[in-house]
Amino acid sequence: MDLKIQGRIIAVLPEVGGVSKAGNTWKKQEYVLETFDQYPKKICFNAFGAKVDEFAIQEGETLTVSVDIESREFNGRWYTDIRAWRVERGADTMSGMGGYDASQQGIAGGVPSFAQAQQVPAPTMAPSQFDAPVEGDDLPF
């Protein structure tokens, strides 16, 4: 699942790291973003590997974060990972549309505005056998 979330970074959690079974070093850092919704939500997401240094996210920044969401099972429990793959600085508040972008959700191109909806041509219908008048039909329409 691919999602864009907009908001302000309210916490930068400590970086963690280690060495994998294969002997590769890894690092991960988590951040808490508060959305611009009418009722703001707090979302904890992470950056992994080189993205930690590439993003260099600081507390107080306003961002649009593109994330992948994935859940996995381990020992009978489920864990959800929200991982950032792109960060854009200076996000606007999406004019009150909340902290996510519906056009990125696979919802048929998002929710069109009224002006966009007016630009859609009306469907045309081919004449059918039912359009012909029926003899003896006394209905007024």
Side-chain angles (χ1 to χ4, degrees), residues 5-10 33-34 36 57-65 87-94:
I5 306 168
Q6 291 189 337
R8 187 176 60 82
I9 299 297
I10 60 170
L33 179 138
E34 185 173 55
F36 297 128
I57 296 171
Q58 301 295 314
E59 191 170 327
E61 285 188 289
T62 299
L63 305 173
T64 299
V65 182
V87 170
E88 300 169 50
R89 288 181 161 71
D92 62 16
T93 59
M94 292 185 65

Side-chain angles (χ1 to χ4, degrees):
M1 172 175 240
D2 186 352
L3 182 70
K4 279 189 176 183
I5 306 168
Q6 291 189 337
R8 187 176 60 82
I9 299 297
I10 60 170
V12 177
L13 304 178
E15 184 179 303
V16 296
V19 179
S20 69
K21 290 180 184 178
N24 300 320
T25 60
W26 61 272
K27 64 180 174 179
K28 175 175 89 166
Q29 188 158 22
E30 294 182 313
Y31 311 90
V32 180
L33 179 138
E34 185 173 55
T35 65
F36 297 128
D37 293 331
Q38 180 180 358
Y39 303 104
K41 312 276 188 294
K42 292 176 180 70
I43 300 169
C44 183
F45 68 94
N46 68 64
F48 192 81
K51 296 288 187 186
V52 173
D53 296 326
E54 178 186 331
F55 296 155
I57 296 171
Q58 301 295 314
E59 191 170 327
E61 285 188 289
T62 299
L63 305 173
T64 299
V65 182
S66 297
V67 298
D68 287 326
I69 301 174
E70 185 176 3
S71 295
R72 64 190 172 287
E73 184 268 337
F74 180 73
N75 290 339
R77 295 200 54 188
W78 284 88
Y79 300 88
T80 300
D81 186 48
I82 303 174
R83 181 157 304 155
W85 57 272
R86 181 180 7 186
V87 170
E88 300 169 50
R89 288 181 161 71
D92 62 16
T93 59
M94 292 185 65
S95 304
M97 290 295 291
Y100 61 91
D101 182 356
S103 68
Q104 300 299 316
Q105 307 314 307
I107 308 173
V111 180
S113 67
F114 180 74
Q116 290 170 326
Q118 296 302 312
Q119 296 173 4
V120 176
T124 58
M125 298 177 62
S128 71
Q129 67 183 33
F130 301 108
D131 292 337
V134 178
E135 289 185 32
D137 187 0
D138 60 351
L139 295 175
F141 50 89

